[in-house]
Amino acid sequence: MKHAIDQDGTRLPIKVDTTSNGEYAPMPLSRTNCLGNELALSQATSHAKRQGVDRRSFLISGCGAASTLLAFNVANAAAGKTGGFYQISDDAAVDLQLAQAEIGGNEFIFDVQGHYVNPNGAWLQFVPEGARPYSGMEKASCELSEQPGERSYLNCLSSDEFIKDVFLDSDTSIMVLSFVPSTRETEPVTIEDAHETRNIVAQLDGSKRLMIHGRVNPNQEGDLEAMDELAENWDICAFKTYTQFGPDGLGFFLHEDPGLAMIERARSLGVRNICIHKGLPFGPRSIEHSRCDDVGIVAKMYPDMNFLIYHSGYDNSVTEQAFADGAGRMGIDSLIQSVLDNEVAPNSNVYAELGSTWRLLMRDPDNAAHSLGKLFRYIGEDNVLWGTDSIWYGSPQDQIQAFRTFQISEEFQERFGYPAITPELRRKVFGLNAARPYQISTDEISRFVAGDSLSQRKLAYQENPQPHFQTYGPRTRREFLNFLRLGG
């Protein structure tokens, strides 16, 4: 096999690193994470020699992903983190058939949070002359960056790369293209761009593979009025809002006038899904609006509306633990407390989405076990939704493989009342749960994507796959601050 990318095989297929989605400052890796990555690369070298292949060939195989996750198990166990683990047989590191059986799957995967950057968008008009937005991103150094043009590196982040990362290099069936917090003028992807990307996919006979949100911040001038056009002209599946974002850095609560006006307008337009960024605070200012205290209030007021809590209220500065009623904690507990206080039953109209959350939880199996266990118990096994925040984290395949194999330990199940993560529960999270609020037929979509031209293109691509195992988001504080300064 000819390797066009990473010929020496230095990139791991499961990407545990400092990359952020641009909504929070990159977090340093723990010593355990660093040791896990080192062990994974060392094991890959040994296993590749044993199989008589080069390291890159080993790493892009199923054995490469299995071996990497097994190395993380070893590092985590040595650190005393045994609340969760990747349930993989040791032999899967060297037995390809076994590896594919354990980390592969044929689930319907509905990723409800995806992003990309338009390399030729109108947002570039607002970037200072000579500035190179997103140039510090790891993926911005792909071969497309060598084309003519001052900002040709942005092609590394374009819709073509989005399609490759999401639909060729991962098992994702369909995705929702979402938006970052911004004003209309500075959106790196506008509703028109998103629609055009959907058209690109449609030209591949994959029209059912991509859905789009409409961004609205009701405390921002003109956004409420713009909801009508978004709903009537762009076939959106939900409105997306950021309660910590707004003029002069001040956010809003959902049960205050701007929030209620947004919900009422969405309702009148026939759009029943409100997607709300909660958790992953942008900073200390208006941080109270990043909490989920208001979610249960509006969910009780509007039982006919769906409130999809993006990131599940997860706060990356909080170490999750068993829920304590009345403790007033930040993070996922603020979501749980809100639904309990307002008597919103599990599996009703509040949903918890895992974009960026699961990616961060992959660093710490105890944190992951508590977070997932609580969401399943209090929000409901039917109401936890799959999302990855890709392409900021590169292809979502590593997140898929990690979730396919993650298990809550029997100790944590018994001590805290968390459920085991069964194949049925995985299928629900991966896609069946999101089918309900997004009103799609999973059988219809599965039949369609099984035979569309994008599937045929993927089959041909897999004859010589070239996954890059890279990320797009900022990895250092400097990159993060530049990202914010240029409108990220």
Side-chain angles (χ1 to χ4, degrees):
M1 181 182 294
K2 183 179 179 180
H3 304 306
I5 301 172
D6 187 29
Q7 296 180 4
D8 294 329
T10 60
R11 303 173 191 166
L12 293 172
I14 311 294
K15 307 181 293 291
V16 172
D17 58 22
T18 62
T19 301
S20 158
N21 69 348
E23 294 174 346
Y24 62 92
M27 300 168 58
L29 292 181
S30 69
R31 176 166 173 76
T32 300
N33 297 147
C34 294
L35 290 174
N37 284 334
E38 291 171 7
L39 179 60
L41 196 60
S42 174
Q43 295 280 40
T45 303
S46 299
H47 295 322
K49 288 182 179 178
R50 179 177 172 181
Q51 292 186 354
V53 298
D54 61 85
R55 192 166 60 187
R56 168 68 174 174
S57 294
F58 175 80
L59 287 170
I60 65 176
S61 73
C63 289
S67 174
T68 301
L69 292 169
L70 286 167
F72 293 169
N73 277 348
V74 172
N76 290 329
K81 294 183 176 296
T82 56
F85 60 98
Y86 298 108
Q87 198 166 27
I88 302 173
S89 306
D90 289 343
D91 287 346
V94 292
D95 184 328
L96 182 58
Q97 186 174 359
L98 180 60
Q100 290 173 333
E102 295 190 345
I103 67 163
N106 61 354
E107 310 94 342
F108 169 71
I109 299 181
F110 184 3
D111 189 335
V112 300
Q113 186 170 189
H115 300 272
Y116 90 100
V117 174
N118 180 1
N120 301 304
W123 65 279
L124 286 168
Q125 299 173 21
F126 299 90
V127 172
E129 185 177 353
R132 292 170 55 81
Y134 305 116
S135 61
M137 311 312 183
E138 181 182 34
K139 181 62 170 56
S141 61
C142 77
E143 60 273 13
L144 296 175
S145 65
E146 299 174 5
Q147 295 177 350
E150 182 184 2
R151 293 180 177 141
S152 61
Y153 66 89
L154 285 172
N155 291 313
C156 298
L157 317 179
S158 69
S159 58
D160 287 342
E161 290 299 295
F162 170 87
I163 291 170
K164 176 182 180 293
D165 283 348
V166 172
F167 296 120
L168 301 187
D169 281 328
S170 93
D171 295 330
T172 302
S173 305
I174 63 175
M175 177 176 269
V176 176
L177 193 58
S178 195
F179 291 86
V180 298
S182 62
T183 62
R184 169 71 174 174
E185 294 77 18
T186 61
E187 286 177 327
V189 175
T190 65
I191 190 70
E192 293 87 354
D193 298 330
H195 181 67
E196 180 58 28
T197 301
R198 182 166 57 183
N199 286 341
I200 292 171
V201 177
Q203 290 167 14
L204 299 169
D205 295 332
S207 57
K208 298 179 185 293
R209 284 187 179 264
L210 199 61
M211 306 169 77
I212 57 177
H213 283 163
R215 183 199 56 75
V216 55
N217 272 84
N219 57 343
Q220 189 165 263
E221 185 177 357
D223 272 26
L224 278 172
E225 295 76 11
M227 290 175 68
D228 295 31
E229 183 201 358
L230 290 172
E232 293 167 5
N233 296 340
W234 300 105
D235 191 26
I236 62 171
C237 58
F239 285 108
K240 174 75 175 289
T241 193
Y242 291 78
T243 55
Q244 199 188 355
F245 184 81
D248 302 318
L250 296 178
F252 67 97
F253 288 114
L254 293 167
H255 63 292
E256 293 179 337
D257 288 347
L260 294 176
M262 172 185 66
I263 297 168
E264 290 283 358
R265 198 154 195 150
R267 191 188 202 187
S268 69
L269 290 167
V271 180
R272 295 185 60 225
N273 296 329
I274 307 287
C275 301
I276 308 149
H277 174 111
K278 286 289 190 179
L280 292 185
F282 305 145
R285 189 167 193 189
S286 206
I287 194 170
E288 65 274 15
H289 297 112
S290 77
R291 290 177 57 95
C292 299
D293 305 332
D294 50 348
V295 171
I297 298 173
V298 294
K300 186 174 183 178
M301 290 174 64
Y302 297 94
D304 59 326
M305 296 291 286
N306 297 316
F307 298 92
L308 285 61
I309 310 307
Y310 274 47
H311 313 300
S312 303
Y314 179 76
D315 185 329
N316 52 318
S317 68
V318 173
T319 299
E320 294 289 343
Q321 49 193 309
F323 174 68
D325 195 359
R329 294 174 183 154
M330 295 285 286
I332 289 173
D333 279 16
S334 76
L335 175 60
I336 295 171
Q337 191 71 63
S338 184
V339 298
L340 290 178
D341 288 348
N342 291 279
E343 301 178 327
V344 178
N347 300 318
S348 53
N349 66 331
V350 173
Y351 295 79
E353 185 268 350
L354 297 176
S356 282
T357 300
W358 170 241
R359 215 267 179 171
L360 288 164
L361 292 175
M362 286 165 58
R363 296 171 166 221
D364 185 334
D366 288 358
N367 210 1
H370 278 305
S371 298
L372 293 174
K374 289 188 294 187
L375 291 174
F376 293 141
R377 181 175 176 182
Y378 294 101
I379 304 302
E381 295 185 13
D382 295 338
N383 280 40
V384 178
L385 309 182
W386 182 249
T388 64
D389 239 347
S390 291
I391 57 175
W392 299 121
Y393 303 119
S395 172
Q397 184 67 358
D398 58 337
Q399 296 187 55
I400 292 170
Q401 292 169 327
F403 187 75
R404 271 184 180 142
T405 58
F406 185 77
Q407 185 57 267
I408 300 172
S409 69
E410 290 186 4
E411 177 196 353
F412 271 39
Q413 291 176 41
E414 293 170 3
R415 285 178 60 190
F416 305 114
Y418 300 152
I421 304 180
T422 63
E424 179 185 6
L425 181 50
R426 292 185 213 281
R427 285 193 294 272
K428 285 183 176 182
V429 174
F430 270 139
L432 299 181
N433 288 348
R436 191 166 75 255
Y438 280 103
Q439 297 183 310
I440 61 172
S441 164
T442 57
D443 289 341
E444 177 188 352
I445 298 295
S446 294
R447 284 195 301 270
F448 179 85
V449 301
D452 71 354
S453 63
L454 196 53
S455 292
Q456 302 307 311
R457 178 176 165 185
K458 182 174 181 177
L459 284 174
Y461 170 78
Q462 287 177 333
E463 293 295 318
N464 184 24
Q466 300 290 340
H468 54 71
F469 299 150
Q470 287 184 309
T471 58
Y472 294 79
R475 294 169 297 161
T476 66
R477 182 166 181 78
R478 174 177 291 182
E479 289 179 1
F480 174 68
L481 293 176
N482 286 336
F483 183 84
L484 296 182
R485 182 171 57 84
L486 295 173

